[in-house]
Amino acid sequence: MATFCGSRYNNNELVNDKGIVMNQPKMTDVAKKAGVSPTTVSRVINRRGYLSTKTINKVEAAMRELNYRPNMVARQLQSQRTMTIGILVPTVANPFFGELTYKLERDFFNAGFKVLIGNAENDVEKERLYLQQLLARQVDGLVIATHNHQQQIPEYQNANLPIVSIDRYLRASIPNVSSDNYAGGRLATEELIARGAKHIIHTDSVERFNKRDYLRQQAYQDVMNEHGLTPVTYKIDFGSQPELMRQFFNRILDEHPEADGFFASNDMDAIQLLQTARQREIRVPEDLQVIGYDGVPTTTRIVPELSTIVQPLDEMAKVAVDILQREINGERVTGSHNLPVRLRASASLKQ
Amino acid sequence: MATFCGSRYNNNELVNDKGIVMNQPKMTDVAKKAGVSPTTVSRVINRRGYLSTKTINKVEAAMRELNYRPNMVARQLQSQRTMTIGILVPTVANPFFGELTYKLERDFFNAGFKVLIGNAENDVEKERLYLQQLLARQVDGLVIATHNHQQQIPEYQNANLPIVSIDRYLRASIPNVSSDNYAGGRLATEELIARGAKHIIHTDSVERFNKRDYLRQQAYQDVMNEHGLTPVTYKIDFGSQPELMRQFFNRILDEHPEADGFFASNDMDAIQLLQTARQREIRVPEDLQVIGYDGVPTTTRIVPELSTIVQPLDEMAKVAVDILQREINGERVTGSHNLPVRLRASASLKQ
DNA sequence: CTGAAAGCGCTAACAG
DNA sequence: CTGTTAGCGCTTTCAG
């Protein structure tokens, strides 16, 4: 009996130890070897219909002997389902999206789906290319967590495919999963005030096409106003080049020596500020209290002293997966699904 | 003319504004609308053979009108290629693998491939499940960057598919891409010694099935011995729970008050040590110099003061993608491809 | 320059 | 309990 150990692939052919070329076995090969029809083999594989134990054994032996693996592509063409989901993120190299992707993939895997990943890199054209590919019946559904301007991507308007977006509006009929950005902004600001901060600076990355950061900023301003304090927001409108970041935060601290509180719209910015503060020998939290945003486990492990608003990534993934499955099953789902955030208070805040 | 804006999907059907049910258009629909044969439509799509401009225009108009997208699955069945690569990592939530996955996906995308991702989570059974799926002609090739024991995964032995592994031995006929772990271990230790450290501790995560860390450790021990110094290696044989880590590093520093140098086999451990040192008011680098390993950009941005051995992830991804493409094209590739590492010296080392 | 027919590997429908 | 037939949507002969 030929063994496939040490076999080599060569395009679509198998070369066994004796150098005999043989194609990848298909169902008819198994059927022939087991002395049954292809249909029977299919039935054994899918455990459908009534089958005699003898047939099952014969077929399974033949499959094992041939090292047979059903061709998923053929099955997909027949069933009109790929059991595959496409996920579009800016980049999995970013810990936030790495964590999100991990959790999405995990939950989809448990639900029987595979995951195609696309790093759109804040590049509208790349996002369009991915979409065009994925819309070609390659996937049963789509999770969109990128941050490009959807207006420039017409594919979203006539995408005939279940989609769920994360923290982003695409179009009215596409459901969205977010965490409660307004509540997060309020929580951060209120905590700083409750701990005695009066001169609180807020930084925000520019995401023109996303209400997300706007809501965090809006909440910050509302709370400041409610307390008779003056809101000061700085927009980060450059990338995240360390040198520019350093200059930026130094400028803020130069312009606001009175600052005793700081709320950054994401943890990376908050961490950058902590570094700047340390260099300037500003004591945290005594002189300056700091809250970031996101609370990704990896980041928290590296910088445990940073207080932050934690987004419920676990729940967000679960809800997104659930919504997409319902859409795939023909259910109509729309609207925004807002999940609660929580504060992780640590050493960058006073007791 | 029917427009698909606002259309809903419902299994495989399109429902247009007027509520009329219509299937996803296929090639025959386009052919009918354009008054040509399916073959001609195929030719237009693939720009194959001689075509009159008139025909091309007719067909393209029909495709646009119907919002036609070729069914990739059918095309894959026919061409026997999926143009898809499977990537298996422990988890993209880990910045190292997030970065690696990002770069692999980017390079594969540029080469015309899509990427299926699997987070095997150090779970042998999960890795096997992924493999079984991916081997079913779902992908044209596989990148394996997990760390499970390959002995427990027989699928690798008779996998009839192009594979490249990253930093891991799978079997003699499967090419491997690594960075030079031995050189990295040497470099780290030598730099510490050159800067005056005499009592250098080394920590290493337990990866029994991988020579990787063993090589780093081996190099450390060799260099120490060459310099007449006593090597001290601690194995981290628990997960990475912060509380255990804290205790662990405290214990090391308790047991070795004389320590003036520290080489951790990965940056997360090194960062944990930096935290412990700060809590114990041990000055870095004056009292204790520290070098980590990996040098992922994200980590470096968050903890710029950490010196580290930088793995050339960019190059590793490029080489892996190149090797896999060559394998896919029928070329036989084997052996270990070792890429050079470099030191990133920062504040955790003396000038 | 264009079309008809066969087939990629599988499964569903229908027959026995 | 098992087999025959047709077809998923595309591309590739081979004819014209």
Side-chain angles (χ1 to χ4, degrees), chain A residues 25 32 50 111 200 288 327:
Chain A
K32 212 168 291 173
Y50 302 94
I200 305 171
L288 182 65
E327 289 189 82

mmCIF file of all heavy atoms in Angstrom, chain A residues 25 32 50 111 200 288 327:
data_model
loop_
_atom_site.group_PDB
_atom_site.id
_atom_site.type_symbol
_atom_site.label_atom_id
_atom_site.label_comp_id
_atom_site.label_asym_id
_atom_site.label_seq_id
_atom_site.Cartn_x
_atom_site.Cartn_y
_atom_site.Cartn_z
ATOM 1 N N PRO A 25 -6.759 12.608 -4.808
ATOM 2 C CA PRO A 25 -7.937 11.742 -4.921
ATOM 3 C C PRO A 25 -9.225 12.541 -4.804
ATOM 4 O O PRO A 25 -9.295 13.488 -4.042
ATOM 5 C CB PRO A 25 -7.775 10.794 -3.729
ATOM 6 C CG PRO A 25 -6.938 11.547 -2.750
ATOM 7 C CD PRO A 25 -6.012 12.388 -3.571
ATOM 8 N N LYS A 32 -14.687 4.339 -6.290
ATOM 9 C CA LYS A 32 -14.179 3.199 -7.034
ATOM 10 C C LYS A 32 -13.509 2.204 -6.078
ATOM 11 O O LYS A 32 -13.793 1.013 -6.079
ATOM 12 C CB LYS A 32 -13.175 3.690 -8.085
ATOM 13 C CG LYS A 32 -13.139 2.859 -9.337
ATOM 14 C CD LYS A 32 -12.350 3.584 -10.427
ATOM 15 C CE LYS A 32 -13.091 4.833 -10.938
ATOM 16 N NZ LYS A 32 -12.296 5.640 -11.870
ATOM 17 N N TYR A 50 -29.784 6.844 5.339
ATOM 18 C CA TYR A 50 -29.510 5.565 5.981
ATOM 19 C C TYR A 50 -28.323 4.886 5.312
ATOM 20 O O TYR A 50 -28.244 4.844 4.095
ATOM 21 C CB TYR A 50 -30.740 4.660 5.895
ATOM 22 C CG TYR A 50 -31.950 5.258 6.526
ATOM 23 C CD1 TYR A 50 -32.872 5.987 5.773
ATOM 24 C CD2 TYR A 50 -32.173 5.122 7.899
ATOM 25 C CE1 TYR A 50 -33.983 6.558 6.352
ATOM 26 C CE2 TYR A 50 -33.288 5.693 8.486
ATOM 27 C CZ TYR A 50 -34.192 6.402 7.709
ATOM 28 O OH TYR A 50 -35.274 6.970 8.300
ATOM 29 N N ALA A 111 -18.380 29.137 15.648
ATOM 30 C CA ALA A 111 -19.666 29.047 14.954
ATOM 31 C C ALA A 111 -19.521 28.329 13.613
ATOM 32 O O ALA A 111 -20.471 28.262 12.834
ATOM 33 C CB ALA A 111 -20.252 30.443 14.753
ATOM 34 N N ILE A 200 -8.591 70.334 32.655
ATOM 35 C CA ILE A 200 -8.483 69.046 31.965
ATOM 36 C C ILE A 200 -8.338 69.257 30.466
ATOM 37 O O ILE A 200 -9.160 69.909 29.832
ATOM 38 C CB ILE A 200 -9.721 68.172 32.250
ATOM 39 C CG1 ILE A 200 -9.896 68.015 33.761
ATOM 40 C CG2 ILE A 200 -9.592 66.825 31.559
ATOM 41 C CD1 ILE A 200 -11.198 67.371 34.164
ATOM 42 N N LEU A 288 -0.644 65.696 37.766
ATOM 43 C CA LEU A 288 -1.415 65.512 36.535
ATOM 44 C C LEU A 288 -2.048 64.127 36.549
ATOM 45 O O LEU A 288 -1.354 63.116 36.688
ATOM 46 C CB LEU A 288 -0.473 65.644 35.318
ATOM 47 C CG LEU A 288 -1.105 65.539 33.936
ATOM 48 C CD1 LEU A 288 -2.065 66.687 33.678
ATOM 49 C CD2 LEU A 288 -0.026 65.499 32.858
ATOM 50 N N GLU A 327 -28.113 37.747 10.165
ATOM 51 C CA GLU A 327 -28.268 38.271 8.806
ATOM 52 C C GLU A 327 -28.100 37.167 7.774
ATOM 53 O O GLU A 327 -28.853 37.078 6.804
ATOM 54 C CB GLU A 327 -27.241 39.374 8.537
ATOM 55 C CG GLU A 327 -27.489 40.659 9.281
ATOM 56 C CD GLU A 327 -26.559 41.754 8.780
ATOM 57 O OE1 GLU A 327 -26.873 42.369 7.749
ATOM 58 O OE2 GLU A 327 -25.508 41.985 9.421
#
